[in-house]
Each structure stands twice: as structure tokens, then as C-alpha cells.
Amino acid sequence: MKQLHILRHSFLRAIFLLLPLCALAFQDSGATLGDSTRTRQPVAIPISSVLSEIESAKSDIELNYEKIKPGKGLIRIDSLYKVYKKLLTAKEEEANQFLNSNPNRQKIDNLIIKWGEYEAQLLGWQTDITVYASRNMRLLESFRNEGKVWNLTLEKAKAEEAPPELISSIEALIGEYSKIEQKTRQNNNSYLRLQTHINKLLDIQKSVVDSLYEKKSSETYDLLYQRHPPIWAVPKGKEASAQETEVRTNPIADSLSGTPEMVRTHRMRLLWFIILATGLFVLIFYMRNRLLALKPEGIEAPDSYLNLILQIPLITWAFLLVTLLKSGLVSTPKMIEDLLILALLILGIVIIRPRVPQRFRGMLYFAILFMVLNTIKTYFWFSSMNYRIFMLVEVLLFVGVLLYYLRPYLATKAEISNSLGKLIISLVPVVYLLSAISVISNLIGYTNLADFLLKVSLNSSLMLIIAYALFLSLSSVAQGWLLQRYLRNTNQSPAHLSFLKKRIHYFIRFIVATIFVSFFLNLIDEWRTINEVIGSFMTEPYQVGNLTFTLGSIFMFLFVLLLSYGISRLIAFFLGEDYGFMHFFKLPKGIPAAISLVLRYSILIFGLVIALAYLNVDLSEFNLMAGALGLGIGFGLQTLVSNFISGLILVFERPILPGDTVEVNNLFGKVKKIGIRACNISTYDGAEVVVPNNNLISNDLINWTLSDSIKRVEVLIGVAYGTDPNLVLKVLKDSAVKFDYVLADPEPSVFFTGFGESSLDFRLLFWVPFEIGLRAKSDVCVEIFNQFKTENIEIPFPQRDVHIKNLSGTSGQGLTGPLEEEKS
């Protein structure tokens, strides 16, 4: 039951919970790195080095005495345990009295949430104690290993008849290691005893929560159970007597009582939350400034998602911030949770208000009123009759607001144009029907059904506002990032931008719809039932031969693989060469790509290791496979490994970079992608060629744009004999400098190269950006032709003298063959 209670919110918070888990992993690894106790194989130390090693070992022992001491957090847990034991014992008695007082479902739900806070606190203590105990176990293993080393050293010193003083020092050091081992074991035993006591408190928590769920599923709380007599048949005085039997508490004080401990328990998550909040703030305002500076056409369209980060960036940031906080904190105090929901509702109304027609905007403000009325039922005590009257007033007010703003219904429905509005307006008759059933059920005493239908109608409407605002906010941030990326990278096609927008739009819609569905299932108390069914199905063991597995382990295996792949793709997206976050650091070209590649493959390998751990696969079993793989590499995978190593060389040495124009093996084109096995080169003929990395390393490679993108263009030309060479030199240079894209430094150069067979030969050299090399040469040649035409400078044809030798000495004689026959 306890695990199912924790699982209730796990799916929605899975991504956020990975952050504290990663932090815990770093904390654990940090403890390992910090525990610098020297571990070695049990080998005796040479006698010549014993004295220096003894001094070093003494220093380590003094340092480790500080390490094995309980930290402040553990001391606090030990001091709070007795207080919590008294608190939970008293709360258990209150819960038993509460269950006997015939409470309503709302009060049971509130009490379940409160005991969930206790559970989160106790589990947080268990985690802290486990961290200390694990560190001490590593230290204990190190002390034992060092003790073995010094025992062997003592035997060696005695065998070599070392001085008695040296032997005494070794024996004293062995005694110190025995003392610190004993102290470490004592501390670990204390930790284990404290964990056992906390487990007993968790048993109390589990027992109470099970009792609450059992009470909630009893016949008294069935929807079709007539819990009270009809409202007109309630006898006078009966209600007063019923009030005396109900346990009265202070819900406001109870809701806030666990706040300080909640902050301590979630301190790591709160730290990550602050980091995420800062990053989100920087991201939103950076995108806003970039988009306002660029001002593309249509960016401020009335229905554009970008209007959120352009016009109300602070509201958008605050809404996403509260959403992260609400989804990331597990088992928060009830009042804090309600305040977060109220903040989400208010901010969500501000976000969606411009997209709601003018006549319906007043209805949004009534949502805040209904949210307040819902919370009143939690924090103020009501008798049964007063509670029924309160529900009746609430549902009538809700229906009245709908009737006022949606009248006349058919005409209003015809005015709605977008798909979401049509869906909502089509569900209004269903809301009317549920509200009518709720009123009738309340009047005749079926208060469980009345309360349930009111919650479904009202809370679903409030959640719909928040979900729509979440969709708009996420779409605004995503499309803002895509648009500023597109505007900074002119090589990206508009069709690709539109494709990305649609994909992200559908993905965000799916995420928001999943959140809404999970909320609705929780609202109708079916989320726990679904968890039980899925949990039972996923934990059912199956056996195939000697292999035992569960569907849950397979699911987690696939989930971790997909998650690591998704994270690697996000890293590739956000750490791009020209438009990623690395752009802010002004790194040399190619460095962001190398960082992105290393991170992506590290995450994929790390994800594979974690995924295999969920299948309980021992990595040592892959030793044989590794040997076989090495043999396969030696014989059949040489090319693959060669390309892999060549890919690493290309990434870190950076002889070519994405976007460079290269020439290799008669292949001329632009580098599109550098992969770990091959590179993609797009030729100027429109083909995309996959070139193995080894070919780029082993063959001659010409990179036209590695250090700069300036290209020298050469024009060879000849003029007729008799032309003034000085005039030709002037015309050629003027033709080149006329164009703005021809660089002034280095300036164009013209040379008279010599006297040809039929012309005076000249050579023109000028520098232009590589991308326009062909066009520049064409433009300059056309200008030279026009200038030559103006100056009457002739470009001669080749001149040849042809001499015909008469072999026979007589005209016409000596001709033979078909030509002679034809003439005769």
C-alpha cells in the first residue's frame, strides 16, 4: 500500500525526480572521492619505507576519525526521532477516533495527504542514514585492507630482525587500525538501530494509511449509498448531536505544521529548482530580447504563441516556475499545495485571457471564486447539514455562471470557431446534467454522489484552465527558441522550421493531455486502482529457462534507453555549433560539436549500463563477450574500428568542421555532419555522400574553408600584338576593383606574363569570399570583355601558318584513292 501511495504521482514527476537522483549519485561519488583512504592489495611494505608509511598512515587515521563521526544531519535525525515517535503515536490515536466519527471523503483525503507528508519525511531520513552507512562501510573495508597490509609488514619486519623500536611502531599502528575499525562498526550499528526505529514509524504510517483507504472504500462512502436522510426529513436536534461526535481539529495548523521539515527533506530538490528557475528566466528573457531585436514579419500576430514571451515574459516564467515546483515536490503540506494551485490558476487566467473571446472573460474570474470555495471546505469545519447546504449553493452558483455567460447556448456554440472551444462548449450540456444530478442527490441524501459530481464538474473546469495555460506557455517557449534559432541560422529551410513546430506542437499537446488525464483519474479516485492493476501486472515474475524477469524490469529497461536517447538528442539540439547554448561562450569552431559528441555518447553508454542494471544483468558476465569482440575486431571489424578511431581524431583534431567545403578523392562539396563512423558531404550537384572517416584521414584532404573562407580567383587572358600593355594592366585592375565583394586587402594584382605565339599574355589575381568564387569570376570576366570592347582591345584568335608540300612535283599527280577516282 505504501509503494502504491508513492507511485500515485510518480509518472508525472519522473523527469523531475531524476535530478535529485543524479544529485544523490554525485553526492555518493563525491563521498567516494573524498574518502581518500589508501587501499591496496595486502602486500608487505619494504622495510626501508616503513617509517615514512607509518607517518602517512597516522595522518590518514586522524582524518578518517573525522569522517566516521555522525554529521549534523544525522544528529538532527536522532534528536527528532523521539519527537516524531510521540507525534505519530498521538496522530495514530486521533486517526482512529477520526475514523469512528463518520467523516466525509474530503476529510479522509486530507488526512491521507497529511500522512503522506510523514512518510516522505521518514523516507528522507532513511535515505540520509543510508548515505552515512554506505560511506562507513567503504571506509571499514579500507581499514581492514590496511590492517592486513601492516600485519604482513610486521611479519616481514620480525623475519628480517628489524629494530625493536620499528616493530613497536608497527604494532602500535595496527592497534590504531583496530580501534578505528571498532569505532566504525559501532557507528554503523547505531545507524542500523536508528533505521530500525524509523521503519517501525513507517509501519505505523502504513497501518494508518491502509485504514484510511479501507474506510474510504467501505460501503458508507459508496456513490449510491444514502448517507443522510432527505434534507426535508432531518429531525431537529439530530444534527446537533451528530456534531458532538465529530472530531474537530485545526486544519490550518495541521496543514502548515510540516513545512519546515518539508523544506529540509526536499532541500536537494529545492536547490535544483532554484537552478532550473534561474536557467528558465535567462532563457525566456534572452529569447525575448533576440526576437524583439530581429522583429521578423508576423511575429506579433494576435494568435501567435510568441506573444506570451514577448508581452508577458515574467508571467510566463512565473507560471512555468510554479508548475515545476508543484510537480517536483512530493507530499507537500496541504495548504502549500492549495496555494500553489491557486497561483497556477491566477497566472493561467492571465495567460489565456487574450485568447478567450471578450464576452467569456468574466467567467474566468469566477474560477478563482470557485477555487476559494473549494478550499474553504478543507480548512473550515462544517456540520453535515451545513456541508450539504454549502454544496448546494456552490453547484447552483456554478450553473448560474454558465447560464449567464453561455446564453443563448445554440447561438454561442455557433460563434465558436477553434477546435478546443467547440469541444468545451459541446460538454456544457453534460455539465448541466451532472450538476442537476448533484442537486437532486444532495436533496435526497446521496451526498457521496453529490460531492463526487460537483468535484468532477468544477475541478475539471479549473484544471482545464491550468492545462490550457500550460500548453500555451510551453508552446511559446519552444517556438520562441525555434524561431530565434532559425533566424540565426540562415541555412535552415522554412519547411524544416515548420516541420519542427508541428512536431513540438503535437508533443506538447500529448504531454499536457497526459497530465490532465492523470489528474482526472486521481479526481475520480481511479488512479490508485489503475496503479494497483498495473503494479500487479508489472511485478508478476516470469521465467524462461534459467532467466527470471518481470514486465516492469523490461519496461524500465526500455524507458531508460529511450530517455537516454532523448536526452542525447536534446543535447545535440541545444549544443549546436551555430545556434546552441555554446554560442554564448565564444568557443573556437568545432569545440561545441566535440563537447556535444562526447556528452551524447557518454549519456548513451551510461543509460545502457543503468538499463542493464534494471534487468539484473551482471556486467562481469560480458567478459567472455568482450574477449570474443576483441577477436572479432582483430579479424573482421578492423575497418569499423579504424573508422571509429578516425572519427575521434576528426572530432578532437578538427581538420574539418561542419560547414567546411572540402575536396577529397575527386569529391567536392560541403561537410554536413561529422559522425563517429562516417561524415556526410553534400556535393554541389545535390548529392549527399557518406564518406568513411578513415578515407578522410588516410587520403589527401583539401579544406577550402578551415582557417578562413577567402579564395583567390585567377583570370588568364591574352590580347593582340600591338596593344598597349599599360592600358591592358589598368583595364584589368579596374575591372576587378569595381566590385564590392573583391577584397581590398590583399588588393587585386595584374601581371604581364609574357609573349605568346599569337597574343600578349596577362594574369589577373583577386580575392573574394569562397561562396561567391564562381560568380565573382564570371562577373569580372564580363566586365573585362565590356572594357576591352570600349577600349578597342582585341582578343586574338590563334594564328597558324599551314604549308602544303607537293610530294610528286606535279600538280594533281600522286593523288590516289577515292578522291582521285571521283574527280576522274
Side-chain angles (χ1 to χ4, degrees), residues 277-289:
T278 305
L280 185 62
F281 181 86
V282 173
L283 174 64
I284 289 177
F285 279 87
Y286 167 76
M287 289 190 300
R288 177 179 181 272
N289 294 335

Side-chain angles (χ1 to χ4, degrees), residues 5 56 88 94 102 143 166 198 343 373 431 573 624 654 703:
H5 180 61
S56 178
L88 291 188
E94 290 182 8
N102 197 27
F143 300 152
L166 183 61
I198 293 176
L373 292 176
V431 175
F573 182 80
L624 181 60
R654 295 179 293 142
N703 191 336

